[in-house]
């Protein structure tokens, strides 16, 4: 049974190829991911922010394309990409706006009566 994975090609504002993945990446659908990366022209930005699961077969595909790929991820997959060593081979960025990439927690909001 194939695990649901949607791959949507596009372009960033700078013209770089963008491939957005949504769902889960596992051995049942890595052929589709590999084919999409193989046919994408030039350097590729792969957005994994909506991927909830990535197994070793998926990591293998990412490793084989690391020389021409940049990854965008959320806080769920960032540790996996780091521990696997993939972050040492390609650029891995956390999606802007994620709490994990915005620095330390600023704490609760200050009520207006305490503004200075």
């Amino acid at each position: 049974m194939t695990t649901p994975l949607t791959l949507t090609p596009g372009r960033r504002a700078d013209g770089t190829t963008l491939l957005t993945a949504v769902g889960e990446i596992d051995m049942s659908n890595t052929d589709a991911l590999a084919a999409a990366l193989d046919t994408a022209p030039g350097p590729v930005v792969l957005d994994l922010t909506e991927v909830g699961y990535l197994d070793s077969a998926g990591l293998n595909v990412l490793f084989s394309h690391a020389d021409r790929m940049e990854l965008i991820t959320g806080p769920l997959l960032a540790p996996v990409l780091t521990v696997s060593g993939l972050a040492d081979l390609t650029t891995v960025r956390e999606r802007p706006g994620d709490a994990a990439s915005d620095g330390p927690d600023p704490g609760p909001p200050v009520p207006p009566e305490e503004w200075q």
Side-chain angles (χ1 to χ4, degrees):
M1 184 169 131
T2 302
T3 305
L5 175 66
T6 303
L7 299 167
T8 306
R11 293 235 177 248
R12 293 174 43 147
D14 65 1
T16 304
T17 300
L18 173 67
L19 183 62
T20 303
V22 176
E24 297 182 356
I25 301 173
D26 65 19
M27 65 183 286
S28 72
N29 56 32
T30 55
D31 288 344
L33 177 60
L37 290 169
D38 287 339
T39 59
V44 178
V45 175
L46 178 59
D47 185 342
L48 299 172
T49 56
E50 297 300 321
V51 171
Y53 178 78
L54 175 67
D55 75 0
S56 59
L59 279 171
N60 188 45
V61 171
L62 299 181
F63 270 99
S64 67
H65 292 85
D67 61 333
R68 59 182 289 263
M69 182 175 57
E70 175 183 328
L71 299 171
I72 301 173
T73 186
L76 179 67
L77 293 184
V80 173
L81 301 175
T82 301
V83 170
S84 70
L86 189 59
D88 295 332
L89 300 177
T90 191
T91 302
V92 176
R93 301 181 195 277
E94 284 198 48
R95 177 179 56 192
D98 281 341
S101 64
D102 287 344
D105 182 359
V110 177
E113 61 268 17
E114 293 180 24
W115 292 355
Q116 296 183 8

